[in-house]
Amino acid sequence: MKRDVIIACDFASREQTMAFLDKFTQEKPFVKIGMELFYAEGPEIVREIKRRGHKIFLDLKLCDIPNTVQKAMAVLSRLDVDMTNLHAFGTVEMMEAAIRGLTRPDGTRPLLIAVTQLTSTSQERMERDLLIEKPLPEVVIHYAKNARLAGLDGVVCSPLESGVVHQACGEEFVTVTPGVRFAGGDAGDQVRVTTPARAKELGSNFIVVGRPITGAEDPVAAYRRAVAEFVND
Ligand code: C5P
């Protein structure tokens, strides 16, 4: 099973991001670029990090009518990202359109990952605000199955959910899991946290690690620790 550590580059500017990446002189970590950095710096930040030799997960969580998502995905595919995502909430039709948009003329495409229910959504809010009355775990698995049906590669979920997602959607269906903290580290605003070693045991394919690496005194050492625990034996 393939596994890698993705560093969440949750910085507000190009300068901060490059200063951080400059610390990595030996390895080229897989990095996640989210809305904050992308909206601040535009597509050039993606090209620049790509030119430096990093793999990129562009975390923009698209959700719109199928035609719009298809066209937007075609643009992201030309940016040559390695992984991107959307909201499964946009329906199977939207996810199928996204795959069409993302697929390059030579048949290759970045990995496409679905967000099921955001972890900020509680059962109570889902019922009250969205009028969805099924149990939250059932909704998450249903959305994951929809993503699989549409031909997507996987979902973003907690490492604690990796097992049930693989059971429902197959071992090759990828789980990308945030909420990772080193043993003895500060959980911050994450509620349910897992160590890299535990995420590996639970079957995660990619862990997304932000502050435990970006906020570490020695980010390179922290990254190496995550790789040693999660990727290597
Ligand atoms: O700093 P930290 O390790 O908490 O960063 C985790 C990253 O994963 C952040 O970019 C955060 O937005 C993202 N994420 C998350 N929980 C989700 C989905 C995404 O923490 N359910």
Side-chain angles (χ1 to χ4, degrees):
M1 188 194 290
K2 98 186 124 194
R3 280 194 303 272
D4 206 352
V5 174
I6 302 178
I7 305 180
C9 284
D10 293 324
F11 299 111
S13 71
R14 176 191 172 277
E15 287 66 33
Q16 283 173 293
T17 309
M18 295 309 162
F20 172 74
L21 293 178
D22 280 344
K23 298 183 199 295
F24 292 84
T25 54
Q26 316 267 319
E27 48 273 275
K28 295 282 180 197
F30 204 134
V31 300
K32 178 171 91 77
I33 300 176
M35 290 185 204
E36 184 185 13
L37 184 58
F38 188 79
Y39 292 152
E41 299 291 348
E44 190 48 34
I45 190 76
V46 176
R47 295 191 192 97
E48 188 173 0
I49 296 176
K50 195 74 202 174
R51 276 197 300 271
R52 284 172 162 242
H54 297 271
K55 286 190 174 175
I56 295 177
F57 171 21
L58 190 56
D59 177 19
L60 299 181
K61 301 187 180 71
L62 274 65
C63 192
D64 206 319
I65 60 171
N67 182 58
T68 303
V69 169
Q70 181 169 340
K71 288 179 175 170
M73 285 294 182
V75 174
L76 300 187
S77 183
R78 286 196 292 274
L79 269 182
D80 203 21
V81 296
D82 299 278
M83 182 188 291
T84 190
N85 63 359
L86 47 62
H87 275 283
F89 182 74
T91 76
V92 172
E93 190 191 0
M94 186 202 79
M95 292 191 272
E96 287 171 345
I99 295 269
R100 284 196 296 278
L102 211 52
T103 306
R104 304 182 185 106
D106 66 0
T108 64
R109 63 169 174 79
L111 288 173
L112 185 58
I113 304 298
V115 174
T116 56
Q117 276 291 350
L118 291 169
T119 44
S120 51
T121 309
S122 63
Q123 181 75 37
E124 187 197 356
R125 284 202 169 273
M126 196 176 67
E127 288 178 15
R128 193 183 60 204
D129 298 356
L130 307 178
L131 295 184
I132 299 172
E133 293 185 349
K134 299 271 188 187
L136 187 53
E138 197 179 320
V139 175
V140 167
I141 290 299
H142 184 65
Y143 285 14
K145 285 181 177 167
N146 283 350
R148 170 131 185 96
L149 189 68
L152 269 69
D153 304 292
V155 288
V156 181
C157 63
S158 159
L160 302 163
E161 292 158 357
S162 279
V164 277
V165 168
H166 282 138
Q167 256 169 30
C169 300
E171 278 307 313
E172 72 292 352
F173 195 67
V174 166
T175 54
V176 179
T177 65
V180 173
R181 292 292 178 267
F182 292 117
D186 179 12
D189 55 0
Q190 296 282 10
V191 180
R192 293 187 306 160
V193 298
T194 307
T195 63
R198 183 78 185 121
K200 178 181 173 181
E201 282 167 16
L202 291 166
S204 297
N205 298 106
F206 294 91
I207 50 171
V208 178
V209 189
R211 289 159 292 180
I213 294 175
T214 57
E217 221 163 278
D218 184 345
V220 176
Y223 171 71
R224 286 182 183 156
R225 181 177 174 191
V227 170
E229 282 190 32
F230 182 68
V231 184
N232 304 335
D233 289 327

